[in-house]
Amino acid sequence: MAQRQGTHVPAVRAASEKNLGITQRSASINFSWTGDIRKRYTDFLVYEIRKDGTTVHLREYEEQQPSVPKPAPAKPTPDTVAPSTEPGIEIEPVSDEDRKRLVDLIGESATEKLIKLDEAVQAKQTISAGERTVVFDPITDRAQRASLHQEIRRIFDNRIETLANNTGVITATPSKWSKNNRVGGHGPRANNSNNSRSRDQSKSFTQLGGEYLHFTMYKENKDTMDAVNTIARLLKVKATNFGFAGTKDRRAGTVQRISVHRQRASNLIWLNTRLPNIKVGDFSHSKEPLQLGQHGGNEFVITLKNCKPLGGAGCSVDQRVRKLREAVEFGLAYLQRHGYINYYGLQRFGTYAIGTHLLGMKVLKEDYEGVLDDILHVEDHFLHEAFDLEEQEPAHTNDFHNSRDDYNRAKAITIWKTTRNAEKALAILPKRFSSEAAIIRHLGKNSKDFMGALLSITRGMRMMYIHAYQSYVWNHMASKRWAMYGPTVVEGDLVLVSNDQSPADADSEDNENFYAQARALTQEDIASGKYTIFDVVLPTPGYDVIYPRNEIGKAYVDFMKKTENGGLDPYDMRRRQKEFSLSGNYRHLLGRFIGEPQYAIRVYNDDTEQMYPTDLDFCNAANAKKKAATAKARTSPPLLANWAHFTNNTAQYDQAITNERRRKASQSPESDRVVVARETWIQTGLDGSDKRVKIARHTEEYETKVPVEQINEKVTDNATNGIISSSATQTPTLAKGLSDLYYESTAQQTVVKSEDGTIKQEQDVMLTEESTASKADTMEVDAVTHEATPQINQSALAATENSMVIHNGEKDGETDTKETANLIVPVLHSPSENPLASVDNSEVIRSSPDASKLAVILKFQLRSSNYATVVLRELMGTLEEEDAADDVSFDGN
């Protein structure tokens, strides 16, 4: 199935929406502006929302550095013999007969690699990641694969294990039961001794908190199942061991929680260096796995580029900014108050020429052969491109690899249809087309078993087809309902029945009400004013739902009985194949935001610019800062090199001790008590030296904080006598012990009289010139201030800065950006009740003075079954015919 062409053009997209029943808008106002969505994958950011309302973000991830490979040993000469890694080990050779048997099965080259791997295992040598896996050519014959598995186990005495994938490719690796488990490079056991999380290997799952490891996954340009399958393959576990609350878009940067059974954090960290588009972190253990539906929705941060307000052609940049901001403000304020029609978005129906709803229609009609033909459909023009495509070097772009997979898919399906050679077709078909592979493999053995071929597809994919048909019917009925009655609640409308909450609160529930019950409203219900349009629901077709008791109920029957819509009966949704019998569910007619939406306007030039940082950007900036600090710490001289060095550099060693005590003092627990030094010193050096003598020892000790006024008075009195008292000048500070308090504020101040009689305070810093640079890297505390200065842990401050902006949208004074971890983050604004009064072009971010393109950054939260692209469609308003003809990119979700 070739990708549906032209949906990035508004006119073509509008036609696709019309075919899928998306024809109405909740607002009669025309906001009218356009923009390009997904110029980059990371222009569309999706964050999972937990049931408790918190948003999931990737806070941190670790990268396990590969071990430095040891130099290869010299090749043995006739006069020398290469020593084994461990002396006393005898390597069992492979007999000539067994070697010949392997060559017949897998070829000469693979045989040599396999024998070399076995010798390394027996010698207990450290094996690099690239050498620990031997891949054989695909073997599609099951009997031949079984024979190969048995022979390898026999010949190598179970030291080597083999695994075949669904395309017949077999990989051989050292067995986990072999005595040599030392693996170098990017493996699960690499660098465990240096891994900060390796301690969990020695703990039981009960001690860790449960058998299920939960982690946060950030991914780009991969759907959730693709990412999970990739991780499962690298960990050598089944994909069914993983759990998640919901699937996330492929063409986006998304963050969500994942669970996996009986794995440890140290086993997953190494994936961060292996997978460029996937990062995992924030590990925790739980007794329960994650399951579908265990989330409250999604938060979207969407950047639309090349935005154009209606009628803005020829206007200056400032004028276009003003018109665009007015349109966005009006649109967000309206949708926040009045909601939007809760359509299923285009992505629900697939991205191919034959939509998934058409496949579901044929499944319900029990036309299984027709379903298989449609799944294996290839458009003619795309087929010509596939066979005319010249061989070329792979480009380092995701788009190229995706289209290359589509070309190979077209070739494989054509080979199957013309030759019925399943083995040859499967050898070309890319792995990600698992449904096509399952069908071809099954029909290759049973050419007329169409039902069996359909059932060979994963159940989730089969159910997606028939659910898409339900969504198709719902969209058309929602448009019919809105066109006939609008926002007015009428007799016969359906509302959910709830025993523990009022009907008006039903919208707080998930919009996919699979097990809910509904009832039709009477005239008395409407007259009571108890129900609003937000309470109205419409059913998807099924045997366990009721239909509206008005004209919309009749519309279900009239629509579904048409030939082009399947010729089906909404009151007869049971099928002989039990899983194809649909029970149906209810969905609210209107959807609403969770919380308050926000936006920002940017003026820019480069479409490749990342307008809003991703979680990966924040983590990378934080990791870079940590690495720089670690590298700097490693370059510091040792505390004590030798006695001679100490005697010649006493000041530097004293400063090192001071810095360490200051650091400990800043991290010590806070207390309400104030400790005051009970000593008075007088400066005796007349030549400007630091010489002082102690002249008094006081007996008083302040148990509470001293008012600032008393301190200032005492400072003045002592200054008159030319002395400084530490008890008088000490600012009310949190008690941490006298010595730590001293080292925490080494910058003592001396009070002197100038020639004109005025009092001056000069800092007398006890630091050598060599240690000046280190002073800037520590938390400095003034000894005399007019206000108490709280002590802040530096690492905690950095963590706060890293998460300050991305998790809230508070306005930061008069600026429109925040610099966080060296990243410029736009400050998002909430729509006001009076958009005209709030527009101020001075707050708009400009990448350069000559920037002319406009971008809109939107941030909003939706429930799990709502679609962001539907919100964007409502927000942008209707398009005039001439504007729709413009080639404005607007990709589907």
Side-chain angles (χ1 to χ4, degrees):
M1 292 177 285
Q3 188 172 4
R4 187 184 297 137
Q5 301 292 319
T7 53
H8 62 286
V9 179
V12 178
R13 181 182 178 87
S16 298
E17 291 175 343
K18 183 177 180 180
N19 291 334
L20 296 171
I22 306 174
T23 59
Q24 302 293 316
R25 283 183 170 85
S26 63
S28 58
I29 304 173
N30 184 5
F31 308 119
S32 292
W33 57 281
T34 62
D36 300 349
I37 186 173
R38 290 192 176 107
K39 277 288 189 179
R40 308 178 70 210
Y41 296 127
T42 50
D43 286 344
F44 201 100
L45 304 178
V46 186
Y47 305 96
E48 188 172 80
I49 300 176
R50 295 186 177 95
K51 282 291 187 181
D52 61 5
T54 59
T55 304
V56 176
H57 287 280
L58 180 65
R59 306 290 179 176
E60 64 175 353
Y61 74 91
E62 298 179 18
E63 287 189 334
Q64 192 175 65
Q65 298 299 326
S67 59
V68 179
K70 297 180 180 179
K75 294 183 178 180
T77 62
D79 300 329
T80 62
V81 178
S84 62
T85 304
E86 295 186 10
I89 296 179
E90 295 184 2
I91 298 177
E92 180 182 348
V94 177
S95 66
D96 294 339
E97 182 180 353
D98 289 338
R99 181 189 294 268
K100 184 177 182 303
R101 175 61 175 160
L102 287 174
V103 170
D104 294 338
L105 290 171
I106 60 176
E108 183 70 32
S109 176
T111 299
E112 293 300 327
K113 293 180 181 178
L114 197 59
I115 293 176
K116 182 179 178 181
L117 175 62
D118 177 63
E119 292 175 348
V121 171
Q122 293 187 65
K124 297 185 178 180
Q125 296 175 349
T126 299
I127 308 170
S128 66
E131 296 176 346
R132 70 184 303 268
T133 302
V134 179
V135 181
F136 309 146
D137 293 333
I139 301 176
T140 57
D141 184 77
R142 179 175 296 180
Q144 187 177 356
R145 287 202 304 267
S147 176
L148 177 60
H149 292 315
Q150 295 174 0
E151 289 297 320
I152 290 179
R153 284 196 296 269
R154 178 187 63 81
I155 294 173
F156 298 108
D157 194 19
N158 292 319
R159 293 186 296 270
I160 303 294
E161 63 181 11
T162 53
L163 181 66
N165 62 15
N166 55 6
T167 61
V169 176
I170 300 178
T171 56
T173 56
S175 171
K176 62 181 179 181
W177 306 113
S178 63
K179 295 181 180 180
N180 178 17
N181 285 327
R182 293 185 293 177
V183 181
H186 301 277
R189 299 182 178 89
N191 281 352
N192 259 358
S193 59
N194 298 327
N195 195 315
S196 62
R197 296 186 181 274
S198 61
R199 295 187 300 271
D200 66 359
Q201 294 286 5
S202 61
K203 296 182 179 180
S204 67
F205 287 111
T206 302
Q207 292 175 303
L208 293 172
E211 292 190 344
Y212 292 92
L213 176 67
H214 289 215
F215 59 92
T216 300
M217 179 178 71
Y218 172 91
K219 63 178 181 63
E220 294 177 7
N221 194 29
K222 281 183 178 292
D223 59 41
T224 302
M225 282 307 305
D226 189 14
V228 167
N229 287 332
T230 300
I231 295 175
R233 186 180 73 253
L234 293 175
L235 294 179
K236 298 187 181 300
V237 299
K238 294 181 179 180
T240 53
N241 289 355
F242 291 81
F244 44 84
T247 57
K248 297 290 181 285
D249 296 343
R250 180 179 70 87
R251 292 175 54 84
T254 70
V255 182
Q256 66 185 122
R257 292 292 283 178
I258 305 289
S259 68
V260 59
H261 188 233
R262 298 188 68 82
Q263 289 290 324
R264 302 173 187 267
S266 54
N267 293 343
L268 273 72
I269 291 175
W270 69 282
L271 297 172
N272 290 326
T273 57
R274 186 75 176 269
L275 303 174
N277 294 335
I278 300 175
K279 292 293 180 284
V280 296
D282 304 333
F283 301 97
S284 65
H285 282 266
S286 175
K287 296 179 181 179
E288 301 294 334
L290 289 172
Q291 296 179 351
L292 289 174
Q294 289 183 338
H295 66 308
N298 296 294
E299 180 177 276
F300 298 88
V301 180
I302 301 174
T303 300
L304 297 102
K305 296 177 178 175
N306 290 325
C307 295
K308 300 176 183 178
L310 182 65
C315 296
S316 66
V317 174
D318 287 343
Q319 289 174 324
R320 287 189 288 121
V321 167
R322 184 178 182 87
K323 292 174 68 70
L324 181 61
R325 188 162 186 174
E326 289 177 8
V328 174
E329 286 256 359
F330 272 124
L332 285 177
Y334 183 91
L335 293 183
Q336 185 178 6
R337 175 173 295 183
H338 300 283
Y340 51 88
I341 300 179
N342 198 20
Y343 287 119
Y344 291 97
L346 291 184
Q347 64 271 34
R348 181 79 169 191
F349 308 97
T351 57
Y352 297 102
I354 300 178
T356 51
H357 65 290
L358 299 177
L359 300 177
M361 184 190 303
K362 290 189 176 181
V363 171
L364 294 175
K365 293 173 61 177
E366 300 183 334
D367 180 12
Y368 302 130
E369 183 178 5
V371 175
L372 301 181
D373 288 340
D374 287 347
I375 295 175
L376 299 179
H377 173 75
V378 178
E379 291 190 30
D380 291 339
H381 73 89
F382 194 80
L383 187 60
H384 293 321
E385 292 176 9
F387 281 95
D388 292 343
L389 183 69
E390 296 180 358
E391 292 295 330
Q392 52 183 301
E393 291 295 326
H396 297 288
T397 63
N398 291 318
D399 285 337
F400 177 85
H401 291 298
N402 290 334
S403 52
R404 170 67 74 179
D405 285 349
D406 289 332
Y407 293 145
N408 288 335
R409 174 188 177 278
K411 289 182 180 180
I413 291 176
T414 302
I415 290 173
W416 160 250
K417 288 183 176 181
T418 55
T419 66
R420 291 290 164 174
N421 188 330
E423 181 177 347
K424 188 175 181 180
L426 292 173
I428 300 175
L429 187 66
K431 295 180 181 178
R432 69 187 184 95
F433 297 105
S434 57
S435 297
E436 290 88 336
I439 293 172
I440 292 174
R441 187 177 297 108
H442 187 89
L443 293 180
K445 301 173 182 177
N446 307 279
S447 59
K448 296 298 182 181
D449 184 13
F450 304 122
M451 166 67 84
L454 180 61
L455 294 178
S456 68
I457 301 175
T458 61
R459 185 179 186 277
M461 189 65 69
R462 299 194 302 267
M463 299 308 295
M464 184 185 71
Y465 298 152
I466 56 179
H467 288 162
Y469 177 76
Q470 289 178 302
S471 304
Y472 171 74
V473 174
W474 192 95
N475 276 358
H476 280 275
M477 294 301 100
S479 294
K480 182 76 172 179
R481 165 64 178 76
W482 193 262
M484 291 185 66
Y485 305 117
T488 304
V489 180
V490 298
E491 184 178 2
D493 279 339
L494 300 182
V495 295
L496 296 180
V497 175
S498 179
N499 295 325
D500 56 352
Q501 62 181 8
S502 64
D505 295 331
D507 190 61
S508 64
E509 298 295 321
D510 190 352
N511 286 341
E512 294 288 0
N513 300 284
F514 286 101
Y515 304 105
Q517 294 181 341
R519 70 180 183 88
L521 293 178
T522 64
Q523 194 61 44
E524 289 76 14
D525 293 327
I526 298 173
S528 69
K530 194 177 178 181
Y531 299 92
T532 69
I533 190 63
F534 291 107
D535 299 314
V536 175
V537 297
L538 289 175
T540 61
Y543 60 80
D544 196 26
V545 297
I546 63 173
Y547 296 92
R549 302 289 192 260
N550 50 34
E551 292 298 320
I552 304 305
K554 299 176 183 178
Y556 273 88
V557 178
D558 295 338
F559 179 80
M560 292 179 61
K561 73 178 182 181
K562 293 181 180 179
T563 304
E564 60 269 24
N565 296 327
L568 301 171
D569 182 0
Y571 293 94
D572 181 20
M573 301 305 296
R574 295 187 184 272
R575 297 295 180 268
R576 287 178 294 179
Q577 185 67 26
K578 186 176 180 179
E579 72 173 37
F580 298 153
S581 297
L582 300 179
S583 61
N585 62 286
Y586 298 99
R587 181 177 177 88
H588 283 86
L589 177 62
L590 292 185
R592 289 192 289 190
F593 292 122
I594 303 175
E596 190 175 47
Q598 296 174 314
Y599 78 98
I601 306 291
R602 292 200 64 175
V603 184
Y604 72 101
N605 274 329
D606 187 3
D607 283 340
T608 63
E609 180 182 353
Q610 182 65 33
M611 301 291 186
Y612 197 94
T614 67
D615 278 12
L616 185 60
D617 294 331
F618 281 98
C619 290
N620 287 341
N623 288 344
K625 188 175 181 180
K626 290 179 182 178
K627 289 180 181 179
T630 302
K632 186 174 182 179
R634 289 176 179 174
T635 58
S636 302
L639 184 60
L640 181 60
N642 52 59
W643 182 255
H645 188 274
F646 171 74
T647 56
N648 294 328
N649 301 273
T650 55
Q652 293 185 19
Y653 283 98
D654 288 344
Q655 183 59 40
I657 296 173
T658 300
N659 292 340
E660 177 63 17
R661 290 184 176 179
R662 185 187 298 121
R663 183 189 65 79
K664 290 181 178 179
S666 67
Q667 297 178 355
S668 62
E670 297 183 352
S671 172
D672 291 334
R673 291 192 57 191
V674 177
V675 177
V676 181
R678 296 177 296 174
E679 299 173 349
T680 300
W681 294 70
I682 185 169
Q683 182 171 342
T684 60
L686 302 179
D687 57 352
S689 66
D690 296 337
K691 188 174 180 180
R692 293 185 178 89
V693 295
K694 181 168 63 176
I695 63 172
R697 185 174 183 85
H698 306 289
T699 58
E700 71 266 25
E701 179 175 354
Y702 296 98
E703 298 292 344
T704 58
K705 294 183 179 180
V706 182
V708 176
E709 294 79 7
Q710 296 181 20
I711 296 175
N712 292 337
E713 292 174 2
K714 204 164 188 178
V715 170
T716 305
D717 293 340
N718 289 334
T720 305
N721 300 323
I723 63 173
I724 180 168
S725 171
S726 61
S727 62
T729 59
Q730 181 64 46
T731 303
T733 319
L734 301 179
K736 299 174 182 177
L738 186 57
S739 61
D740 288 338
L741 190 64
Y742 167 76
Y743 283 106
E744 186 180 19
S745 54
T746 55
Q748 301 284 350
Q749 291 189 357
T750 303
V751 181
V752 296
K753 282 188 177 181
S754 62
E755 294 180 357
D756 57 0
T758 58
I759 297 176
K760 294 183 179 180
Q761 293 181 346
E762 297 179 351
Q763 284 193 345
D764 187 10
V765 184
M766 300 193 307
L767 296 175
T768 61
E769 293 181 358
E770 294 80 5
S771 62
T772 303
S774 63
K775 174 185 174 183
D777 297 331
T778 60
M779 288 292 295
E780 296 298 330
V781 182
D782 293 335
V784 178
T785 59
H786 293 290
E787 295 181 358
T789 303
Q791 307 302 315
I792 302 176
N793 183 290
Q794 189 76 344
S795 61
L797 177 62
T800 302
E801 290 177 345
N802 288 341
S803 60
M804 175 176 60
V805 178
I806 197 167
H807 307 305
N808 62 65
E810 298 177 358
K811 191 173 181 179
D812 188 23
E814 297 180 355
T815 62
D816 211 32
T817 60
K818 291 183 180 180
E819 185 170 355
T820 302
N822 297 324
L823 298 173
I824 302 300
V825 185
V827 175
L828 303 176
H829 305 267
S830 300
S832 65
E833 293 295 329
N834 186 2
L836 292 177
S838 67
V839 173
D840 182 2
N841 286 0
S842 64
E843 297 182 0
V844 175
I845 310 164
R846 300 176 185 271
S847 60
S848 64
D850 60 342
S852 59
K853 295 183 177 180
L854 305 186
V856 175
I857 303 173
L858 299 171
K859 181 178 181 179
F860 52 85
Q861 295 181 343
L862 302 178
R863 305 197 185 279
S864 57
S865 62
N866 293 21
Y867 290 80
T869 48
V870 171
V871 173
L872 296 180
R873 173 184 176 272
E874 291 263 17
L875 181 61
M876 292 184 179
T878 58
L879 294 173
E880 302 295 338
E881 191 65 31
E882 58 270 17
D883 296 303
D886 293 338
D887 186 11
V888 179
S889 173
F890 190 92
D891 246 353
N893 188 11

